[in-house]
């Protein structure tokens, strides 16, 4: 597993679920490394599902070892070598993963071990727990404790509640109380990717985030979750509103937790042809002066991205996603 380098808030986090075009061609994340003005901090590969057969774990619709993911895993290694921390996401809108982990010890063990093994095999630096089904508080505590035991103090454990759940337990998709979890295991949780969309929050003004901080949530632990485009759900906030609001939160809270985007492949304003532009705008707003291209990355990484010809000083353009009709490999977050 790649070592964790400390990253200060505000974070810039992107989910990467749609990894392929409908024709089967791979959607590359390398432009997030090669395009200028990008200081992405975390990439979350989604979505890992636990199925009825404990050994039939899937990344969206295929086993994580399926050849279709060979390029994905190679690119995540390059991203890690470039300083981006790579996590996996467990769960999401497709239900079943967490109910299978919420049973007796023997059943928990049978379903947990394949997830543990996947994390080890792919060198993931953390796990994002997106619980959109009933899951007990005790079950979440057990899962967090086991992840910490197996992967140590540096392993990132994040959660992805709907934003409203951080203010009112009744407005919640997870079944347990996030405030109670923070009291019990907050020291083990790196941050919360709070979903400010699909009717659970509004990222167009600072009001809801301010309420969270007033309620006692540390600002460095609350990341504002956004739709990267109106194609990915309800509640997309145009940049004309979102940009100024994020800038305001950045100035208002010295330890502002940052922003996450669902999801990469069709992010605005560049869309499917130039999805990295979302990360460029977020870098400009939240981490001004930190954006970089291959010339600022470790030499081995830059050479890997450029190819084997050491005499060629020009960095070739990274492969771009081809235009296509929106389609995900699995369920939406």
């Amino acid at each position: 597993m790649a070592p964790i380098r400390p990253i200060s808030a505000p974070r810039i986090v992107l989910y990467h679920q749609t990894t392929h075009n409908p024709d089967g061609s791979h959607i590359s994340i390398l432009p997030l490394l090669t395009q200028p003005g990008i200081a992405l901090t975390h990439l979350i590969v989604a979505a890992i599902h636990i199925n009825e057969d404990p050994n039939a774990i899937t990344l969206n619709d295929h086993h994580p070892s399926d050849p279709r993911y060979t390029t994905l895993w190679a690119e995540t290694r390059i991203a890690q070598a470039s300083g981006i921390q790579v996590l996996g996401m467990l769960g999401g809108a497709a239900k079943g993963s967490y109910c299978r982990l919420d049973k007796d010890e023997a059943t928990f063990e049978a379903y947990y071990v394949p997830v543990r093994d996947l994390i080890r095999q792919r060198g993931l630096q953390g796990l994002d727990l997106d619980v959109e089904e009933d899951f007990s508080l005790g079950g979440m505590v057990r899962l967090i404790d086991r992840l910490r035991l197996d992967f140590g103090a540096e392993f990132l454990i994040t959660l992805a509640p709907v934003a409203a759940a951080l203010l009112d337990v009744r407005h919640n998709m997870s079944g347990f109380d996030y405030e109670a979890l923070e009291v019990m295991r907050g020291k083990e949780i790196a941050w919360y990717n709070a979903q400010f969309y699909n009717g659970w929050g509004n990222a167009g003004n600072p009001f809801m985030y301010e309420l969270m901080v007033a309620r006692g949530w540390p600002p460095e632990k609350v990341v504002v979750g956004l739709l990267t485009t109106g194609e990915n759900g309800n509640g997309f906030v145009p940049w004309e509103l979102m940009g100024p609001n994020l800038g305001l939160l950045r100035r208002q809270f010295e330890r502002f937790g940052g922003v996450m985007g669902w999801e990469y492949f069709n992010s605005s304003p560049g869309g499917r042809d130039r999805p990295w532009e979302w990360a460029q705008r977020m870098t400009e707003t939240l981490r001004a002066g930190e954006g970089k291209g291959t010339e600022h990355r470790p030499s081995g990484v830059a050479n890997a991205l450029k190819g084997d010809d050491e005499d060629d000083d020009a960095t070739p353009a990274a492969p771009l996603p081809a235009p296509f009709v929106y389609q995900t490999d699995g369920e939406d977050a």
Side-chain angles (χ1 to χ4, degrees), residues 28-62:
S28 178
I29 62 170
L30 294 185
L32 292 169
L33 312 180
T34 60
Q35 292 294 324
I38 296 177
L40 187 73
T41 61
H42 300 85
L43 183 77
I44 303 179
V45 177
I48 300 164
H49 301 305
I50 299 172
N51 299 300
E52 184 175 357
D53 178 354
N55 295 315
I57 189 171
T58 52
L59 177 61
N60 298 319
D61 300 324
H62 301 81

Side-chain angles (χ1 to χ4, degrees), residues 2 49 126 136 153 155 189 194 213 231 235 241 247 258 262 274 298 309 313 328:
H49 301 305
S136 69
F155 188 77
I189 299 168
V213 176
E231 297 178 31
L241 295 176
W262 180 270
R274 302 175 61 84
D309 186 0
D313 293 331
T328 61

Side-chain angles (χ1 to χ4, degrees), residues 108-182:
F108 171 83
E109 191 73 11
Y111 284 113
Y112 168 79
V113 165
V115 177
R116 180 203 65 190
D117 291 348
L118 169 61
I119 293 169
R120 288 176 174 169
Q121 290 163 4
R122 302 304 170 184
L124 298 176
Q125 295 158 299
L127 191 65
D128 182 58
L129 306 175
D130 186 356
V131 186
E132 301 188 17
E133 59 183 297
D134 284 343
F135 191 40
S136 69
L137 179 61
M140 179 54 77
V141 168
R142 177 172 63 177
L143 178 57
I144 290 173
D145 287 350
R146 184 58 183 277
L147 288 168
R148 185 61 67 218
L149 176 66
D150 286 342
F151 296 104
E154 288 192 336
F155 188 77
L156 297 173
I157 300 172
T158 63
L159 283 87
V162 295
L166 299 184
L167 294 174
D168 189 338
V169 68
R170 296 169 298 178
H171 299 150
N172 190 349
M173 298 177 68
S174 306
F176 60 85
D177 186 335
Y178 280 90
E179 289 186 347
L181 179 65
E182 178 68 11

Side-chain angles (χ1 to χ4, degrees), residues 117-286:
D117 291 348
L118 169 61
I119 293 169
R120 288 176 174 169
Q121 290 163 4
R122 302 304 170 184
L124 298 176
Q125 295 158 299
L127 191 65
D128 182 58
L129 306 175
D130 186 356
V131 186
E132 301 188 17
E133 59 183 297
D134 284 343
F135 191 40
S136 69
L137 179 61
M140 179 54 77
V141 168
R142 177 172 63 177
L143 178 57
I144 290 173
D145 287 350
R146 184 58 183 277
L147 288 168
R148 185 61 67 218
L149 176 66
D150 286 342
F151 296 104
E154 288 192 336
F155 188 77
L156 297 173
I157 300 172
T158 63
L159 283 87
V162 295
L166 299 184
L167 294 174
D168 189 338
V169 68
R170 296 169 298 178
H171 299 150
N172 190 349
M173 298 177 68
S174 306
F176 60 85
D177 186 335
Y178 280 90
E179 289 186 347
L181 179 65
E182 178 68 11
V183 170
M184 296 176 68
R185 289 297 185 274
K187 62 184 176 61
E188 308 295 348
I189 299 168
W191 72 84
Y192 297 87
N193 292 305
Q195 299 179 40
F196 281 73
Y197 48 84
N198 287 341
W200 299 103
N202 179 7
N205 63 66
F207 182 64
M208 196 167 189
Y209 195 92
E210 291 170 342
L211 284 179
M212 291 175 181
V213 176
R215 193 173 178 87
W217 289 100
E220 67 272 18
K221 293 192 71 171
V222 181
V223 170
V224 176
L226 305 167
L227 296 174
T228 59
T229 170
E231 297 178 31
N232 293 349
N234 299 315
F236 171 70
V237 179
W239 184 255
E240 292 75 13
L241 295 176
M242 182 173 60
N245 183 47
L246 293 176
L248 174 63
L249 291 173
R250 179 72 176 94
R251 295 188 298 272
Q252 187 174 358
F253 299 102
E254 182 179 357
R255 296 174 296 150
F256 175 54
V259 64
M260 75 82 163
W262 180 270
E263 58 173 311
Y264 165 65
F265 85 105
N266 60 349
S267 302
S268 62
R272 297 166 181 82
D273 292 334
R274 302 175 61 84
W276 59 84
E277 290 184 0
W278 184 90
Q280 285 176 325
R281 289 203 175 188
M282 290 301 165
T283 299
E284 181 181 2
T285 301
L286 299 179

Side-chain angles (χ1 to χ4, degrees), residues 82-98:
S82 301
I84 296 172
Q85 294 172 5
V86 177
L87 298 79
M89 186 196 90
L90 177 65
K95 295 177 173 56
S97 295
Y98 289 97

